[in-house]
Amino acid sequence: MSEKAAAKKQGRNNGAVVMMCLSFVFGMGAMSYAAVPLYRIFCQVTGYNGTTQRVEQMSSVVLDRKMRVTFDANVAPGLQWNFKPVEREVNPKIGETIQVNFVAENRSNETQRGQAVFNVTPGEAGAYFNKVQCFCFTDTDLKPGEKLEMPVVFYIDPDIVKAVESKDIHTVTLSYTFYPKEGPKPVASNEGGAVKIEKKL
């Protein structure tokens, strides 16, 4: 093989290697971009990592055993909100559908939008914590000084007492953290049964 032909072949091989490297980098980038939503879907389906379940109907079975449920509320940097549960804890029967309320107040001088992220501890209880209604299903918009009462309707699946990893759980904690959410701000938002509270002067 001539020197010219060998150089040409070497150039083709180098080009192929470069293309393979670029394809690999692009593929890894696409996979890492898709990993977050796929992981979120996995958690929602399985209850893994304390992710609660969203259901359309209430439980038809109520046990005689109670479960202590405590609440935790946090606000991430970027939102000038006060956010807290109306009640710090409840003690419903397992399978009993109940409603609790949280209150958020915008302390800034501008309209702010937030998205609540939630989880349950211990993580093994996440698969059995069923939400029928929750303010976390949609974004929340608050005008300056506006206060909003927001409901959560839930029940603990009676199957929690059957599973080996969860049968000895007696207390679960539902935690929320509100994060700032960018996007167009509607004139009014009152989804999920939230109730506006008049600000007292």
Side-chain angles (χ1 to χ4, degrees):
M1 183 183 294
S2 70
E3 219 174 279
K4 189 174 181 182
K8 191 174 180 182
K9 184 177 180 183
Q10 182 66 35
R12 283 200 303 268
N13 289 342
N14 289 344
V17 170
V18 170
M19 287 303 296
M20 284 191 297
C21 289
L22 288 174
S23 298
F24 177 76
V25 170
F26 178 77
M28 291 301 290
M31 286 176 62
S32 60
Y33 180 79
V36 174
L38 288 175
Y39 179 75
R40 187 179 296 119
I41 292 170
F42 170 76
C43 289
Q44 289 173 346
V45 170
T46 63
Y48 181 74
N49 200 28
T51 302
T52 64
Q53 306 299 294
R54 182 175 181 176
V55 295
E56 300 296 329
Q57 58 187 19
M58 302 178 185
S59 173
S60 58
V61 177
V62 178
L63 305 183
D64 201 29
R65 172 181 157 183
K66 290 188 175 184
M67 179 72 72
R68 179 171 174 254
V69 182
T70 63
F71 306 105
D72 179 47
N74 307 281
V75 179
L79 277 182
Q80 297 178 44
W81 290 12
N82 284 330
F83 174 52
K84 63 183 180 180
V86 174
E87 299 176 86
R88 287 293 174 184
E89 66 176 69
V90 292
N91 290 276
K93 290 183 176 180
I94 295 176
E96 178 186 2
T97 302
I98 68 166
Q99 176 178 316
V100 296
N101 295 294
F102 286 73
V103 174
E105 180 182 11
N106 183 358
R107 297 182 292 106
S108 75
N109 58 3
E110 61 181 7
T111 298
Q112 292 188 326
R113 167 172 289 180
Q115 171 67 55
V117 176
F118 56 85
N119 77 312
V120 168
T121 53
E124 293 82 2
Y128 305 96
F129 199 105
N130 296 314
K131 291 182 181 178
V132 180
Q133 180 183 352
C134 181
F135 58 88
C136 57
F137 295 160
T138 59
D139 296 343
T140 300
D141 292 276
L142 291 180
K143 296 176 182 177
E146 184 179 7
K147 185 183 287 188
L148 201 62
E149 187 169 299
M150 305 172 294
V152 180
V153 179
F154 71 90
Y155 66 88
I156 307 295
D157 192 319
D159 284 343
I160 196 171
V161 302
K162 299 177 183 177
V164 174
E165 70 275 6
S166 60
K167 65 180 182 179
D168 294 323
I169 295 175
H170 298 283
T171 300
V172 298
T173 299
L174 176 62
S175 298
Y176 286 101
T177 300
F178 256 111
Y179 289 90
K181 183 76 179 285
E182 296 299 325
K185 296 176 174 58
V187 175
S189 177
N190 195 26
E191 297 186 50
V195 179
K196 292 185 180 180
I197 302 172
E198 294 294 332
K199 187 173 181 181
K200 297 179 181 178
L201 298 177

